[in-house]
Amino acid sequence: MPADILLLSTLLPAQERALEQRFTVHRPAGNGEKAAFQRDVAPRIRGVVTGGSTGIGNDLVAQLPALEIVAINGVGFDKVDLDLARARGYRVTNTPDVLTDDVADLAVALMLMLSRRLVSADRFVRAGRWLNGEFPLATRASGRRYGILGLGRIGRAIAARLEGFGGEIAYCTRTPVSDVPYAYHPTVTELAAASDVLIVAANASPSTRHIVDAAVLDALGPTGALVNIARGSLVDEHALIDALIEGRIAGAGLDVFEAEPKVPQALINLSNVVLAPHVGSATAETRGAMGDLVLANLDAHFAGEPLPTPVV
Ligand code: 8YV
């Protein structure tokens, strides 16, 4: 009998078909179907596929007594309770490596768009305003001081790209990394003070919540820019909005938000902000590779083989 899988994330259509060929696939219950789902389906669910930014809540896990594996279609596992997984004995997998380049590309793109004011420039041309005068001067993107918060796979890929921009690269992690030539700063405030562009690329966890706060933004200063491609929870969004409105930092490029997909109107109103709808890994190629890894983890689990990319 094929195992019952609950699909909470979208995969490419061909991958959802592949999943349906191998498993009995269920989608989340709509309003009015919840009682039937809990009674008839939930007790049979052995696997869950979910997104990195959505994860799975413990209330849903509590409804799934037969749960054996949560396959995250993403690298971040901050929205899955790993202690609960260990205690209950189900596996957790993610999709590292395959999305690193895309997320690093987006970090650099946001930095470039922000410094060179590309969103405003595009609007300027479309509105026909070029006919009446020149576009205001932007800020150089090359040759700056780049600070990277978190130097895991994605942080390193961002640094590798920024090496091509000249300038200085520094980073902040809990302990210094031995194999990189970049300057180390033990605190985020010190890193921000030494940076023109502060790029957030750290894992989200209770200990990194709001690690970029008002003090860090003030250390970054009125000519500094913030880029966040990690998780919204790492940045105190209220403090960020205040700093942007008061000109205590120059701008922000954001792919992630504290309550996404809800984006505060205050950020939408600001012209010194570039906004993206959490698209770090959202290319056809990378989503394909991520989906393949999700399928490979599920196949391995149900065949009793070692998991390709286990977290728990
Ligand atoms: C995805 C992500 O947007 O990898 C992650 O942790 O947040 C992103 O790659 C998400 O997982 C898609 O479901």
Side-chain angles (χ1 to χ4, degrees):
M1 264 248 298
D4 289 76
I5 301 286
L6 179 61
L7 180 59
L8 301 176
S9 166
T10 330
L11 303 176
L12 297 186
Q15 292 171 331
E16 291 201 10
R17 282 196 295 276
L19 196 69
E20 278 158 357
Q21 276 160 13
R22 293 176 230 187
F23 303 102
T24 305
V25 177
H26 305 270
R27 277 144 180 109
N31 287 337
E33 301 166 0
K34 291 206 161 58
F37 173 85
Q38 278 187 31
R39 189 188 57 235
D40 304 330
V41 179
R44 300 204 309 265
I45 296 293
R46 296 171 65 194
V48 170
V49 176
T50 190
S53 55
T54 40
I56 182 166
N58 290 352
D59 47 345
L60 179 53
V61 170
Q63 295 174 28
L64 310 177
L67 187 60
E68 294 171 29
I69 180 167
V70 174
I72 303 171
N73 184 29
V75 68
F77 42 78
D78 52 302
K79 297 279 170 57
V80 176
D81 186 339
L82 302 186
D83 291 334
L84 181 62
R86 285 185 200 102
R88 280 253 323 245
Y90 56 85
R91 309 297 306 269
V92 178
T93 62
N94 67 345
T95 64
D97 298 316
V98 293
L99 46 67
T100 301
D101 283 339
D102 277 6
V103 181
D105 288 350
L106 188 80
V108 175
L110 287 173
M111 187 271 287
L112 287 169
M113 290 167 77
L114 199 57
S115 322
R116 302 303 301 270
R117 308 186 60 199
L118 289 178
V119 175
S120 305
D122 177 273
R123 288 204 194 107
F124 184 86
V125 175
R126 287 173 200 272
R129 287 165 52 205
W130 194 9
L131 299 168
N132 305 325
E134 283 182 25
F135 186 67
L137 296 179
T139 305
R140 259 180 82 91
S142 286
R144 312 296 302 280
R145 298 174 306 153
Y146 311 104
I148 305 176
L149 171 56
L151 207 64
R153 301 179 189 89
I154 293 173
R156 282 170 183 257
I158 294 169
R161 282 155 175 74
L162 292 175
E163 283 182 14
F165 284 73
E168 294 165 26
I169 299 173
Y171 71 101
C172 171
T173 47
R174 232 168 281 138
T175 45
V177 174
S178 58
D179 60 345
V180 296
Y182 318 131
Y184 174 70
H185 294 277
T187 69
V188 193
T189 313
E190 283 167 81
L191 177 69
S195 303
D196 298 310
V197 185
L198 179 64
I199 302 177
V200 183
N203 289 335
S205 70
S207 66
T208 57
R209 184 172 182 273
H210 288 187
I211 194 166
V212 175
D213 57 11
V216 169
L217 297 169
D218 282 331
L220 187 59
T223 58
L226 179 78
V227 170
N228 188 5
I229 46 75
R231 283 288 185 267
S233 65
L234 290 150
V235 176
D236 179 341
E237 218 162 64
H238 288 295
L240 173 63
I241 290 167
D242 287 347
L244 286 163
I245 290 175
E246 292 160 16
R248 286 166 27 236
I249 68 166
L254 307 171
D255 186 43
V256 288
F257 303 87
E258 281 203 72
E260 60 186 54
K262 289 189 194 133
V263 176
Q265 190 61 40
L267 285 177
I268 293 172
N269 292 345
L270 285 164
S271 61
N272 55 343
V273 173
V274 177
L275 303 170
H278 199 146
V279 290
S281 67
T283 66
E285 296 88 343
T286 291
R287 284 293 163 82
M290 289 163 67
D292 285 348
L293 209 39
V294 166
L295 286 165
N297 276 297
L298 289 176
D299 284 343
H301 173 76
F302 288 106
E305 287 163 10
L307 302 181
T309 48
V311 178
V312 171

